[in-house]
Amino acid sequence: MSTALVRNWLATEKLDLPLPGRGQTAQRWQRLAQLAQTDITAGRLAEAHVDAVAILAELEGPPPSPQQWWGVWAAESGEAVLTATRVGDKVLLDGTKVWCSGAGLCTHALVTARVSAGERGLFAVDLNAHGVRPLPSRWRHAGMAESDTRSVQFTATPAVPVGSPGQYLSRPGFWHGAAGVAACWLGGARAVAAALYDRVKSGRADAHMSAHLGAVDAALASAAALLNAVAGEFDADRLNRTGRAELLARRARAAVENAVDETLDRTARALGPSPLCMDPVHSRRVADLSIYVRQSHAERDLERLGVMAAGAS
């Protein structure tokens, strides 16, 4: 279902979103949240595609065509390294890239790889090119199972450099994209909370259920308000001249992650095991969101946020 949804969204231009930092970032994130609320896994794959489109625009890479489906594969691992080597007028990729969502689904990907100086470069790759081989899946969790996340091996695969080495991380848009992921988390939390909203609306809820929903609703509304405020600041300072982009993105991600945790915990406590065990839609949403939000780096992210917030106070 998730794969078919993404293909439908591509075909019907529902993934043609405003670029971040250009005056309509709030609308972009609201649309991402809606997509994830429809289907969390499909929303996660769609977010990667629209992030790739934004990166290519920001770094003046090759513009994607309408029929292409892009991923962004930027995870790093000490056990699996991908290198980029210039051979004449070509750049070739060799090695293995881990955590590649849409490994067997995407037509193209933006991939980070180590260049000769040890820096991290970004490269556009046609996944139908020579030497691209998705490795067998080792995924064992029901959550995000349809995202087709696995390692991909590259052997002398031609690639196109996008931007200069190190620019993928240093560009202002990196933090625009980081906050965009949080918009999808928010949409996923709304999807999980739907079962609790429906129970209270039906009149079959006791006082404890209603109280749990009140806490969930406040958390979701607060996270949405902060995302909208951050979107406005990004639009007002697209090039990050104030140097606040990282702080703002980390705040937004932390607030949405808190709302996700509140939603997962309180919905389960309010409704008990029945929907988790007997409602396939709700149980899948819970499984998907529980895995998706772990793209956060938990206390590592909070530590960085705390240091930055103290410095800004």
Side-chain angles (χ1 to χ4, degrees):
M1 176 182 177
S2 299
T3 302
L5 261 179
V6 178
R7 290 199 170 105
N8 175 263
W9 292 342
L10 285 166
T12 56
E13 300 181 352
K14 290 183 178 178
L15 300 188
D16 292 354
L17 305 186
L19 293 173
R22 309 292 180 94
Q24 295 180 286
T25 303
Q27 293 93 317
R28 174 186 176 88
W29 291 351
Q30 287 163 11
R31 183 61 187 144
L32 283 174
Q34 290 166 0
L35 294 173
Q37 187 171 353
T38 299
D39 184 289
I40 296 170
T41 300
R44 186 262 175 272
L45 292 168
E47 184 280 325
H49 172 83
V50 302
D51 189 37
V53 172
I55 294 167
L56 290 166
E58 183 178 12
L59 299 183
E60 299 180 344
S65 65
Q67 65 268 31
Q68 294 173 352
W69 177 353
W70 285 74
V72 179
W73 299 344
E76 297 290 317
S77 168
E79 299 177 358
V81 178
L82 185 65
T83 61
T85 306
R86 184 168 292 278
V87 180
D89 60 351
K90 295 181 180 179
V91 173
L92 302 179
L93 301 182
D94 287 280
T96 302
K97 197 67 179 170
V98 297
W99 297 103
C100 301
S101 292
L105 305 173
C106 296
T107 63
H108 294 72
L110 289 176
V111 182
T112 56
R114 297 292 172 177
V115 297
S116 57
E119 293 182 285
R120 195 175 177 186
L122 183 68
F123 302 88
V125 184
D126 181 341
L127 298 177
N128 290 313
H130 165 81
V132 180
R133 184 169 74 93
L135 299 177
S137 176
R138 298 171 59 192
W139 200 266
R140 296 295 179 266
H141 197 282
M144 285 284 167
E146 288 191 45
S147 68
D148 192 21
T149 301
R150 44 187 164 141
S151 296
V152 176
Q153 187 177 71
F154 296 86
T155 305
T157 301
V160 177
V162 176
S164 57
Q167 196 174 8
Y168 168 70
L169 294 174
S170 65
R171 64 195 170 86
F174 179 83
W175 296 109
H176 302 163
V181 172
C184 290
W185 294 346
L186 179 62
R190 287 170 175 162
V192 169
L196 185 53
Y197 278 95
D198 289 344
R199 179 67 69 87
V200 174
K201 190 186 302 183
S202 73
R204 295 181 292 114
D206 60 21
H208 294 293
M209 285 185 186
S210 297
H212 280 304
L213 179 58
V216 167
D217 185 76
L220 294 176
S222 297
L226 182 57
L227 272 174
N228 282 335
V230 169
E233 291 205 49
F234 282 169
D235 286 337
D237 184 25
R238 178 170 67 89
L239 299 180
N240 194 27
R241 291 189 172 93
T242 63
R244 285 171 49 84
E246 181 180 356
L247 172 63
L248 295 171
R250 288 191 181 279
R251 270 184 189 158
R253 285 170 66 96
V256 175
E257 184 178 355
N258 285 341
V260 167
D261 290 345
E262 190 86 338
T263 300
L264 289 170
D265 181 54
R266 287 186 177 273
T267 300
R269 286 162 58 190
L271 299 178
S274 179
L276 290 170
C277 299
M278 300 180 186
D279 182 339
V281 174
H282 180 73
S283 62
R284 182 189 166 193
R285 286 170 173 171
V286 169
D288 286 346
L289 183 60
S290 299
I291 293 296
Y292 191 14
V293 77
R294 295 279 47 89
Q295 277 194 334
S296 155
H297 299 102
E299 279 66 28
R300 292 182 181 85
D301 284 350
L302 290 175
E303 177 193 19
R304 176 65 177 162
L305 174 57
V307 170
M308 296 191 74
S313 66

PDB file of all heavy atoms in Angstrom, residues 213-229:
ATOM      1  N   LEU A 213      -6.803  12.191  26.235  1.00  0.00           N
ATOM      2  CA  LEU A 213      -6.934  12.896  24.958  1.00  0.00           C
ATOM      3  C   LEU A 213      -6.628  14.377  25.131  1.00  0.00           C
ATOM      4  O   LEU A 213      -5.992  14.991  24.253  1.00  0.00           O
ATOM      5  CB  LEU A 213      -8.328  12.710  24.373  1.00  0.00           C
ATOM      6  CG  LEU A 213      -8.568  13.446  23.046  1.00  0.00           C
ATOM      7  CD1 LEU A 213      -7.565  13.009  21.985  1.00  0.00           C
ATOM      8  CD2 LEU A 213      -9.991  13.234  22.548  1.00  0.00           C
ATOM      9  N   GLY A 214      -7.045  14.963  26.238  1.00  0.00           N
ATOM     10  CA  GLY A 214      -6.734  16.371  26.467  1.00  0.00           C
ATOM     11  C   GLY A 214      -5.234  16.613  26.467  1.00  0.00           C
ATOM     12  O   GLY A 214      -4.749  17.593  25.864  1.00  0.00           O
ATOM     13  N   ALA A 215      -4.484  15.727  27.122  1.00  0.00           N
ATOM     14  CA  ALA A 215      -3.025  15.874  27.160  1.00  0.00           C
ATOM     15  C   ALA A 215      -2.416  15.674  25.780  1.00  0.00           C
ATOM     16  O   ALA A 215      -1.503  16.404  25.373  1.00  0.00           O
ATOM     17  CB  ALA A 215      -2.434  14.879  28.150  1.00  0.00           C
ATOM     18  N   VAL A 216      -2.915  14.693  25.041  1.00  0.00           N
ATOM     19  CA  VAL A 216      -2.407  14.438  23.693  1.00  0.00           C
ATOM     20  C   VAL A 216      -2.712  15.618  22.777  1.00  0.00           C
ATOM     21  O   VAL A 216      -1.837  16.076  22.018  1.00  0.00           O
ATOM     22  CB  VAL A 216      -3.022  13.140  23.123  1.00  0.00           C
ATOM     23  CG1 VAL A 216      -2.766  13.028  21.618  1.00  0.00           C
ATOM     24  CG2 VAL A 216      -2.460  11.926  23.847  1.00  0.00           C
ATOM     25  N   ASP A 217      -3.928  16.123  22.844  1.00  0.00           N
ATOM     26  CA  ASP A 217      -4.317  17.238  21.977  1.00  0.00           C
ATOM     27  C   ASP A 217      -3.457  18.466  22.253  1.00  0.00           C
ATOM     28  O   ASP A 217      -3.012  19.150  21.317  1.00  0.00           O
ATOM     29  CB  ASP A 217      -5.797  17.565  22.194  1.00  0.00           C
ATOM     30  CG  ASP A 217      -6.286  18.631  21.230  1.00  0.00           C
ATOM     31  OD1 ASP A 217      -6.511  18.310  20.048  1.00  0.00           O
ATOM     32  OD2 ASP A 217      -6.428  19.791  21.651  1.00  0.00           O
ATOM     33  N   ALA A 218      -3.199  18.741  23.519  1.00  0.00           N
ATOM     34  CA  ALA A 218      -2.363  19.899  23.863  1.00  0.00           C
ATOM     35  C   ALA A 218      -0.947  19.723  23.335  1.00  0.00           C
ATOM     36  O   ALA A 218      -0.336  20.668  22.814  1.00  0.00           O
ATOM     37  CB  ALA A 218      -2.349  20.094  25.378  1.00  0.00           C
ATOM     38  N   ALA A 219      -0.408  18.508  23.456  1.00  0.00           N
ATOM     39  CA  ALA A 219       0.952  18.254  22.976  1.00  0.00           C
ATOM     40  C   ALA A 219       1.040  18.401  21.462  1.00  0.00           C
ATOM     41  O   ALA A 219       1.994  19.002  20.935  1.00  0.00           O
ATOM     42  CB  ALA A 219       1.404  16.855  23.406  1.00  0.00           C
ATOM     43  N   LEU A 220       0.067  17.867  20.748  1.00  0.00           N
ATOM     44  CA  LEU A 220       0.078  17.958  19.285  1.00  0.00           C
ATOM     45  C   LEU A 220      -0.091  19.394  18.818  1.00  0.00           C
ATOM     46  O   LEU A 220       0.593  19.843  17.889  1.00  0.00           O
ATOM     47  CB  LEU A 220      -1.025  17.078  18.694  1.00  0.00           C
ATOM     48  CG  LEU A 220      -0.874  15.565  18.884  1.00  0.00           C
ATOM     49  CD1 LEU A 220      -2.094  14.834  18.338  1.00  0.00           C
ATOM     50  CD2 LEU A 220       0.387  15.050  18.215  1.00  0.00           C
ATOM     51  N   ALA A 221      -1.000  20.122  19.464  1.00  0.00           N
ATOM     52  CA  ALA A 221      -1.220  21.515  19.072  1.00  0.00           C
ATOM     53  C   ALA A 221       0.013  22.367  19.363  1.00  0.00           C
ATOM     54  O   ALA A 221       0.378  23.245  18.560  1.00  0.00           O
ATOM     55  CB  ALA A 221      -2.435  22.071  19.807  1.00  0.00           C
ATOM     56  N   SER A 222       0.674  22.126  20.480  1.00  0.00           N
ATOM     57  CA  SER A 222       1.877  22.884  20.822  1.00  0.00           C
ATOM     58  C   SER A 222       2.995  22.613  19.826  1.00  0.00           C
ATOM     59  O   SER A 222       3.689  23.537  19.388  1.00  0.00           O
ATOM     60  CB  SER A 222       2.335  22.533  22.241  1.00  0.00           C
ATOM     61  OG  SER A 222       1.356  22.892  23.193  1.00  0.00           O
ATOM     62  N   ALA A 223       3.164  21.346  19.459  1.00  0.00           N
ATOM     63  CA  ALA A 223       4.207  20.995  18.492  1.00  0.00           C
ATOM     64  C   ALA A 223       3.919  21.632  17.138  1.00  0.00           C
ATOM     65  O   ALA A 223       4.827  22.153  16.473  1.00  0.00           O
ATOM     66  CB  ALA A 223       4.304  19.475  18.358  1.00  0.00           C
ATOM     67  N   ALA A 224       2.665  21.614  16.717  1.00  0.00           N
ATOM     68  CA  ALA A 224       2.299  22.229  15.434  1.00  0.00           C
ATOM     69  C   ALA A 224       2.554  23.725  15.454  1.00  0.00           C
ATOM     70  O   ALA A 224       3.043  24.301  14.466  1.00  0.00           O
ATOM     71  CB  ALA A 224       0.834  21.932  15.119  1.00  0.00           C
ATOM     72  N   ALA A 225       2.231  24.377  16.570  1.00  0.00           N
ATOM     73  CA  ALA A 225       2.448  25.817  16.670  1.00  0.00           C
ATOM     74  C   ALA A 225       3.927  26.160  16.592  1.00  0.00           C
ATOM     75  O   ALA A 225       4.322  27.135  15.935  1.00  0.00           O
ATOM     76  CB  ALA A 225       1.852  26.335  17.977  1.00  0.00           C
ATOM     77  N   LEU A 226       4.768  25.362  17.246  1.00  0.00           N
ATOM     78  CA  LEU A 226       6.202  25.624  17.187  1.00  0.00           C
ATOM     79  C   LEU A 226       6.737  25.396  15.773  1.00  0.00           C
ATOM     80  O   LEU A 226       7.560  26.189  15.281  1.00  0.00           O
ATOM     81  CB  LEU A 226       6.946  24.733  18.181  1.00  0.00           C
ATOM     82  CG  LEU A 226       8.460  24.953  18.234  1.00  0.00           C
ATOM     83  CD1 LEU A 226       8.811  26.397  18.564  1.00  0.00           C
ATOM     84  CD2 LEU A 226       9.112  24.008  19.244  1.00  0.00           C
ATOM     85  N   LEU A 227       6.278  24.352  15.104  1.00  0.00           N
ATOM     86  CA  LEU A 227       6.707  24.131  13.720  1.00  0.00           C
ATOM     87  C   LEU A 227       6.342  25.319  12.840  1.00  0.00           C
ATOM     88  O   LEU A 227       7.148  25.753  12.008  1.00  0.00           O
ATOM     89  CB  LEU A 227       6.080  22.852  13.167  1.00  0.00           C
ATOM     90  CG  LEU A 227       6.818  21.540  13.400  1.00  0.00           C
ATOM     91  CD1 LEU A 227       5.982  20.365  12.903  1.00  0.00           C
ATOM     92  CD2 LEU A 227       8.185  21.534  12.724  1.00  0.00           C
ATOM     93  N   ASN A 228       5.148  25.847  13.007  1.00  0.00           N
ATOM     94  CA  ASN A 228       4.738  27.011  12.207  1.00  0.00           C
ATOM     95  C   ASN A 228       5.612  28.221  12.505  1.00  0.00           C
ATOM     96  O   ASN A 228       5.980  28.980  11.593  1.00  0.00           O
ATOM     97  CB  ASN A 228       3.268  27.339  12.467  1.00  0.00           C
ATOM     98  CG  ASN A 228       2.323  26.406  11.730  1.00  0.00           C
ATOM     99  OD1 ASN A 228       2.673  25.824  10.709  1.00  0.00           O
ATOM    100  ND2 ASN A 228       1.120  26.251  12.257  1.00  0.00           N
ATOM    101  N   ALA A 229       5.937  28.414  13.779  1.00  0.00           N
ATOM    102  CA  ALA A 229       6.790  29.550  14.143  1.00  0.00           C
ATOM    103  C   ALA A 229       8.190  29.390  13.562  1.00  0.00           C
ATOM    104  O   ALA A 229       8.778  30.351  13.035  1.00  0.00           O
ATOM    105  CB  ALA A 229       6.866  29.674  15.666  1.00  0.00           C
TER     106      ALA A 229
END
